[in-house]
């Protein structure tokens, strides 16, 4: 990923899809995480949005915060959804 962390970006204007960052938080062996990854990969790929995957089993802070909610999707560092990812809702969030 190139550029500044989304947590440090500023600006009041709406971001273009290319300026957004999606983070999928999950763990290996989680079928809901696999389902979420398919949706995130599809939507982000179609819109040109950068996305990343983080494993809660490798990050204690993420584990403490999200272990009961995985998979969790963050958009620009803010929680967008958890458990099930709605393709249309994610697409609207990223395109808007």
């Amino acid at each position: 990923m190139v550029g500044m962390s989304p947590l440090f970006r500023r600006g009041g204007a709406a971001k273009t899809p290319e300026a957004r960052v999606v983070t999928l938080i999950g763990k290996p062996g989680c079928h809901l995480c696999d389902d979420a990854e398919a949706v995130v990969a599809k939507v982000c790929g179609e819109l040109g949005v950068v996305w990343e995957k983080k494993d809660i089993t490798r990050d204690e802070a993420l584990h403490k915060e999200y272990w009961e909610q995985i998979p969790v999707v963050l958009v620009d560092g803010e929680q967008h959804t958890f458990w099930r990812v709605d393709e249309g809702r994610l697409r609207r969030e990223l395109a808007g």
Side-chain angles (χ1 to χ4, degrees):
M1 179 169 64
V2 177
M4 194 181 281
S5 167
L7 298 175
F8 296 106
R9 290 184 187 152
R10 298 183 191 264
K15 294 182 180 177
T16 63
E18 297 81 13
R20 310 304 296 269
V21 177
V22 174
T23 304
L24 173 61
I25 302 168
K27 69 177 185 176
C30 166
H31 73 278
L32 289 178
C33 299
D34 294 340
D35 293 348
E37 183 174 354
V39 173
V40 169
K42 177 182 179 187
V43 172
C44 289
E46 290 173 1
L47 296 177
V49 175
V50 173
W51 72 279
E52 62 186 352
K53 187 164 80 169
K54 294 191 177 181
D55 180 349
I56 65 163
T57 66
R58 297 178 178 265
D59 186 315
E60 189 175 331
L62 290 177
H63 187 270
K64 284 181 180 179
E65 188 164 353
Y66 296 117
W67 75 273
E68 292 182 328
Q69 298 178 0
I70 64 164
V72 174
V73 174
L74 309 179
V75 175
D76 299 328
E78 298 291 325
Q79 187 167 340
H80 171 74
T81 194
F82 62 98
W83 292 338
R84 298 220 182 256
V85 181
D86 180 276
E87 181 179 337
R89 182 169 175 254
L90 180 60
R91 187 178 304 280
R92 286 187 300 277
E93 172 72 21
L94 295 173

